[in-house]
Amino acid sequence: MSDTAPKSSAMLIGFPDTASTVEALAGACGISCETIELRRFPDGESYVRNPAALPDHVVIFSSLHGGNDRLVELMLSARTARRAGVKRLSLLAPYLCYMRQDNDFNPGEAVSQTIVGEWFAGLFDDLLTIDPHLHRVGELANAMPVSNTCTLTASGVISDFLATRVPDDALILGPDAESEQWAKQIAAPRSMEYAISLKTRHGDRDVDVDVPEIDITDRDVVLIDDISSTGNTLIQAARQLEGKGARHVYAIVTHALLDEAAMQAMHEAGIEKIWSTDTIPHPTNVVSVEPVLHQALQTLLS
Ligand code: R5P
């Protein structure tokens, strides 16, 4: 076998907008890759065509941000792969959607996390994702009854990035109880101080955040979170820091779903810079999760 021959017979496939990521990842792991053909029918529905020949093990790469179309397209590709005889089907989704509605807070509400989880369980043998929102369920397997679930984290690469931007005495500040795991992991390598706020959500755009009393005079503060969408969680946290003498206030999130208006409002609340990982393509991307994905894929294939 030549040095350039694939090391595993598995294939990584992905949609056209992630072709370069898929190619780089497959190359690093020594497996083959192909792009799933995707286009719109004149009525707006999705046309999906898998590579004609698929091996027994296929890994589909799809970050599930930006609405419902990706879910439908993923389902079409997954079912088509099974019909073509694929025996093991894995999903590598850097961002997993529909994870935040994890309860029926009002009668009749769809618990989308459970429903999407059961849907995935019917499609995939393995599910790998980064920093999924697991507030009330604890483990990914509780939300997604897929045979093999793997929760990855961007905390390590975020920590490495922050080491180039903020000093050791910076405060890592999480907005709510769930963020403690990430705050702790991000702070650990440099033994930085971290703190957790108390969050009360009243509605999609209405949230209260109580930041603990900590002396931040002449210190940098880095607000962290798994997801930032409307930006209001971090805005409320930032507002409480106003006038307390912080040198710089920054925000870094794993999954950035923010639009222009949200980013503007975050800056107006005193957040100087907004940083994110590239689990979702976004203007704030500064941290690559490629090392995290690479390692996870190697383990999956071993
Ligand atoms: C929820 O608890 C998450 O961890 C985030 O804090 C939340 O999704 C952020 O949403 P937004 O930016 O809309 O406040």
Side-chain angles (χ1 to χ4, degrees), residues 100 133 135 175-176 178 182 199 201 204 207 225-234 258:
R100 285 174 291 170
H133 191 82
H135 188 183
D176 54 23
E178 201 205 356
W182 300 301
K199 179 164 88 178
R201 185 170 282 287
D204 294 351
V207 66
D225 210 354
D226 57 338
I227 303 171
S228 203
S229 172
T230 65
N232 284 331
T233 296
L234 297 183
L258 302 156

Side-chain angles (χ1 to χ4, degrees), residues 97-160:
C97 59
Y98 281 106
M99 293 296 285
R100 285 174 291 170
Q101 182 76 24
D102 57 6
N103 208 347
D104 47 352
F105 304 96
N106 296 293
E109 278 181 353
V111 183
S112 55
Q113 185 188 73
T114 309
I115 296 166
V116 169
E118 285 164 356
W119 190 19
F120 283 161
L123 294 173
F124 298 103
D125 301 298
D126 313 279
L127 193 160
L128 296 82
T129 190
I130 298 180
D131 294 334
H133 191 82
L134 298 171
H135 188 183
R136 270 167 280 264
V137 297
E139 288 181 16
L140 185 58
N142 297 337
M144 308 265 146
V146 178
S147 308
N148 173 38
T149 53
C150 181
T151 301
L152 312 168
T153 182
S155 296
V157 285
I158 287 176
S159 199
D160 291 347

Side-chain angles (χ1 to χ4, degrees), residues 27-69:
C29 294
I31 61 172
S32 59
C33 67
E34 294 281 350
T35 301
I36 301 162
E37 188 181 337
L38 177 65
R39 66 176 172 82
R40 295 278 176 188
F41 286 110
D43 61 6
E45 292 177 359
S46 299
Y47 168 94
V48 168
R49 184 181 179 193
N50 282 345
L54 294 173
D56 284 349
H57 184 190
V58 169
V59 182
I60 303 182
F61 181 95
S62 182
S63 208
L64 296 167
H65 55 93
N68 299 326
D69 287 353

